[in-house]
Amino acid sequence: MSTTISKLDEVKTGKWSGGTSPLKAEYGKVMMWLFLLSDAFTFTGFLTVYGAQRMYVQDTWPNPDIIFQSIPFITDTGAPLVFVGIMTFILIVSSVTMVLAVEAGHRHSKKEVVLWMILTIIGGLTFLGCQALEWSHLSHQGFWFGAIPESIPLAEQQGATQFSSFFFAITGFHGFHVTVGITLNIIILLMTLANVFERRGTYLMIEKVGLYWHFVDLVWVFVFTFFYLV
């Protein structure tokens, strides 16, 4: 009873810092979950509009097996979805290294945290590099925000135009999230090297940033499915 009264007093005086009530979770993690939930609604809206538009003009929509059949510096044709498969694998591996960084943080193993965070950052940068190569290739083919290659038959041009607009907008929005995630990971790495978390006595901040990174990876699974597989 006294604990309840104490919490009520903290709320009235504006000094309550969250603690473990009412969801028995750290305040910062709860706020991160709320942010990710709102961001998920944004991506859901984008992908829903994309799916609806594709169903509307499905007869003239470009075949992803034909569009995405190149591997930069290796071949321009004959390898459908291979390159994006590599991109997806890289991002998933970076999610695994983030899990290992969080686990190492729980054990207060600074050296391991630094190692896994560096590998996570490298994975994110590699993914962005691959995405830049893919964008460059599609641009050279003639796809660029509504532009279409001359090789596309006239009957399929409507679908190709809408495809290119949606593709660059949604994958670009996701790429922006990856960039933010990499920036946060670099900040966390620098804080780890500066012994900030050792002085605090907790590496909880890494877990919060890890939630964001896993969210970015999960969103890519849906983007991958909508654009490359369906």
Side-chain angles (χ1 to χ4, degrees), residues 50-61:
Y50 168 81
Q53 192 61 35
R54 175 165 183 175
M55 291 298 295
Y56 179 71
V57 292
Q58 57 182 321
D59 294 336
T60 62
W61 206 263

Side-chain angles (χ1 to χ4, degrees), residues 70-76 83 129-130 132-134 136-137:
S70 68
I71 302 178
F73 310 117
I74 297 178
T75 180
D76 288 333
F83 187 61
C130 291
L133 288 174
E134 184 181 54
S136 176
H137 176 74

Side-chain angles (χ1 to χ4, degrees), residues 135-136 138-149 160-161 164-165 168:
W135 274 33
S136 176
L138 291 178
S139 178
H140 290 156
Q141 282 188 319
F143 291 97
W144 183 250
F145 276 108
I148 53 174
T161 299
S164 64
S165 297
F168 286 108

Side-chain angles (χ1 to χ4, degrees), residues 152-187:
I152 298 292
L154 182 62
E156 300 179 8
Q157 288 185 4
Q158 179 185 5
T161 299
Q162 294 176 349
F163 163 80
S164 64
S165 297
F166 277 113
F167 176 81
F168 286 108
I170 294 178
T171 58
F173 189 55
H174 177 266
F176 168 75
H177 280 70
V178 175
T179 302
V180 172
I182 293 172
T183 303
L184 292 175
N185 289 338
I186 292 175
I187 293 173

Side-chain angles (χ1 to χ4, degrees), residues 81-98 119-120 122-128 130-131 134 174 213-214 216-218 220-222 224-225 228-229:
L81 305 183
V82 173
F83 187 61
V84 70
I86 295 173
M87 291 172 55
T88 303
F89 176 75
I90 291 171
L91 203 58
I92 291 175
V93 170
S94 75
S95 192
V96 173
T97 56
M98 176 58 82
L119 292 178
T120 301
I122 292 174
L125 290 172
T126 303
F127 175 84
L128 284 182
C130 291
Q131 189 172 59
E134 184 181 54
H174 177 266
W213 192 253
H214 296 321
V216 169
D217 292 355
L218 179 61
W220 176 253
V221 172
F222 287 96
F224 172 78
T225 301
Y228 297 92
L229 297 183

Side-chain angles (χ1 to χ4, degrees), residues 15-16 29 62-63 79 92 127 147 173 187 195 204 213 227 230:
K15 296 181 179 179
W16 184 54
K29 289 175 65 176
N63 186 343
I92 291 175
F127 175 84
F173 189 55
I187 293 173
N195 293 318
L204 185 60
W213 192 253
F227 280 102
V230 179

